Amino acid sequence: MASVVLPGDSIPLPSSSKPVILGPGLAASSSRIRTPISDDAPAIISTRLGLLSSFKGKEKSEQYWVEGNSKRYIPAQKDMVLGTIIARHAEGYRVDLGSSQMASLEGLAFEGATKRSKPNLKVGTLVYARVSLANRDMEPEIECFDPNTGKAEGFGELKGGLMVSCSLQLCRHLLNSKFPVLPALASTIPFEIAVGLNGRVWLKTETVSESIALKRVIEGVDSGEIKPEKSDIDMAVKQFLA
């Protein structure tokens, strides 16, 4: 069950031996504490107000983050994000993620990229990427491939489609398989989707009207005008397509 935490609160470490991944709103302190699995472990503290949430990943790891109503995205390592290229340079690109700093994307951070063969992306291109480096006092770095496999795995340039801006909280919910919004939409309209934890969602359908309908449904769920239930979503889709 999620619990409310305040900035500066100490977060108890889990008793299991699984690797722990800290998400947004949590940070490792320089002080050390004693835990059930270690006599010298870093203390974990909350950096913002919100609900402490957790998730057991497929890699037998445990993820923890603070679920808040923040409007500005703060980059966190391993986050999936949608970014817009705003500048090019000799080694790569500068990308807008909606955070306080621009992100750096190297030209070699793509599947199969070499010094002689690199993607040639234009300013304004939308890319789906993964945050590879995120420190408080440094410019974040992103990459468009999975470092474990060396393959794109869905990352890279997103062609066509429509981008929707929504809350950070909704984006995290959309990535939860138990959240009914995307399954309900998929039962009505076939589409491609990329969800970024930085408050951006990319959609691509066969027609413009279907893309606009999906956009209005997601915006309605985000604002609270549409309940995240299958019956309500089906009714809203039919209304927007009429």
Side-chain angles (χ1 to χ4, degrees), residues 30-112:
S30 57
S31 60
R32 317 296 290 186
I33 61 174
R34 184 175 182 179
T35 70
I37 59 174
S38 174
D39 293 332
D40 185 33
I44 298 177
I45 60 172
S46 170
T47 59
R48 68 186 188 195
L49 170 66
L51 294 176
L52 177 64
S53 305
S54 63
F55 174 74
K56 294 183 179 180
K58 296 180 180 180
E59 302 175 354
K60 296 183 179 180
S61 61
E62 294 186 358
Q63 302 177 23
Y64 290 82
W65 70 92
V66 177
E67 190 78 69
N69 200 20
S70 175
K71 295 183 179 180
R72 166 159 286 186
Y73 172 66
I74 300 175
Q77 195 167 0
K78 296 187 178 182
D79 274 1
M80 296 176 291
V81 293
L82 285 167
T84 304
I85 294 177
I86 59 171
R88 300 174 53 173
H89 53 81
E91 300 299 326
Y93 310 91
R94 290 179 60 80
V95 183
D96 173 30
L97 300 181
S99 58
S100 59
Q101 291 182 311
M102 299 298 107
S104 174
L105 173 62
E106 292 188 7
L108 297 176
F110 294 83
E111 178 186 358

Side-chain angles (χ1 to χ4, degrees), residues 21-26 48 51-56 62-70 72-81 128 131 165-182 193-201 218 221-222:
I21 299 175
L22 300 182
L26 295 177
R48 68 186 188 195
L51 294 176
L52 177 64
S53 305
S54 63
F55 174 74
K56 294 183 179 180
E62 294 186 358
Q63 302 177 23
Y64 290 82
W65 70 92
V66 177
E67 190 78 69
N69 200 20
S70 175
R72 166 159 286 186
Y73 172 66
I74 300 175
Q77 195 167 0
K78 296 187 178 182
D79 274 1
M80 296 176 291
V81 293
Y128 190 43
V131 178
S165 297
C166 53
S167 67
L168 306 182
Q169 186 177 11
L170 178 61
C171 286
R172 193 170 290 278
H173 286 324
L174 291 176
L175 290 173
N176 186 345
S177 59
K178 296 181 180 179
F179 196 62
V181 173
L182 294 185
I193 188 170
V195 179
L197 291 173
N198 57 331
R200 296 174 180 177
V201 177
I218 290 176
V221 171
D222 194 25

Side-chain angles (χ1 to χ4, degrees), residues 204-233:
K204 186 175 183 180
T205 62
E206 295 182 354
T207 66
V208 176
S209 60
E210 289 178 342
S211 295
I212 294 176
L214 294 185
K215 176 179 182 292
R216 295 178 67 180
V217 169
I218 290 176
E219 290 176 340
V221 171
D222 194 25
S223 65
E225 296 178 3
I226 301 175
K227 294 181 180 179
E229 299 177 0
K230 189 178 186 310
S231 57
D232 293 73
I233 293 172

